């Protein structure tokens, strides 16, 4: 049993990585890094965040998050403002342009996948759909997800 699981993990890892990499390469990025894209997603889906919370969320140091947010600001995707609850802290929020860019990126990625799903036969599509709950169980709740749920 262990060798079968090891073999499955060995075959699954490159497949998942290559699929994600292909989806990212085929859709608009504006040369966003994974961290920049993750921060933009969190701002769109979770609302404004303190710079320190974003740094903890991404498991990076505050100066690194300052650089990430600075890049998003230069691209017009995010903005900073003082936190009304604490004048020493800074809140980062997504701009309208950031929301538009994020929505376009998600739509392009889903279209990329939709086109490939259309090219498959019903049996393959059904197999992928049936595998979704099991694949979701592979996701481990990380500190990132704990932070998100604590802030909401």
């Amino acid at each position: 049993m262990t060798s079968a699981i090891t073999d499955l993990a060995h075959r699954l890892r490159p497949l998942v990585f290559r699929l994600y990499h292909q989806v990212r390469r085929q859709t608009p990025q504006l040369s966003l890094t994974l961290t920049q894209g993750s921060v933009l997603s969190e701002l769109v889906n979770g609302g404004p965040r303190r710079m320190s919370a974003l740094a903890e969320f991404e498991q990076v140091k505050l100066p690194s998050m300052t650089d990430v947010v600075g890049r998003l600001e230069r691209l017009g995707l995010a903005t900073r403002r003082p936190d009304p609850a604490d004048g020493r802290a800074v809140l980062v929020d997504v701009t309208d342009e950031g929301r538009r860019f994020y929505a376009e990126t998600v739509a392009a990625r889903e279209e990329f996948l939709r086109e490939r799903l259309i090219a498959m036969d019903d049996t393959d599509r059904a197999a992928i759909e049936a595998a979704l709950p099991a694949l979701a169980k592979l996701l481990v709740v990380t500190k990132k997800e704990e932070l998100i749920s604590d802030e909401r």
Side-chain angles (χ1 to χ4, degrees):
M1 179 71 159
T2 303
S3 66
I5 293 172
T6 299
D7 181 57
L8 180 58
H10 180 73
R11 290 182 295 135
L12 181 62
R13 181 205 50 81
L15 183 81
V16 169
F17 177 80
R18 286 176 55 206
L19 179 60
Y20 178 71
H21 185 69
Q22 197 172 64
V23 169
R24 272 183 56 87
R25 282 196 312 183
Q26 298 298 320
T27 57
Q29 286 297 313
L30 287 181
S31 302
L32 293 185
T33 65
L34 288 174
T35 302
Q36 291 162 351
S38 178
V39 168
L40 182 62
S41 175
E42 177 55 21
L43 294 173
V44 168
N45 295 305
R49 293 281 189 268
R50 284 187 175 185
M51 188 80 74
S52 57
L54 287 171
E56 189 174 352
F57 175 77
E58 290 296 334
Q59 300 176 349
V60 299
K61 302 277 186 211
L62 192 55
S64 295
M65 184 52 60
T66 301
D67 290 344
V68 167
V69 170
R71 167 84 170 138
L72 292 174
E73 281 184 305
R74 286 188 297 281
L75 291 169
L77 305 177
T79 186
R80 288 183 244 203
R81 67 177 190 271
D83 185 340
D86 181 353
R88 299 168 295 168
V90 173
L91 281 179
V92 182
D93 201 0
V94 66
T95 62
D96 289 341
E97 175 64 18
R99 285 185 200 289
R100 185 196 59 73
F101 172 76
Y102 180 79
E104 288 176 3
T105 300
V106 168
R109 288 178 178 178
E110 288 178 2
E111 178 62 17
F112 176 85
L113 291 169
R114 188 183 76 77
E115 288 173 3
R116 274 133 196 90
L117 289 167
I118 286 171
M120 294 177 159
D121 63 31
D122 291 342
T123 303
D124 286 341
R125 275 194 304 277
I128 290 172
E129 187 169 4
L132 291 177
L135 290 170
K137 289 178 183 176
L138 290 174
L139 297 174
V140 177
V141 174
T142 64
K143 188 168 185 166
K144 271 186 173 185
E145 284 82 13
E146 288 171 6
L147 285 169
I148 292 169
S149 61
D150 287 348
E151 284 196 3
R152 289 188 184 149

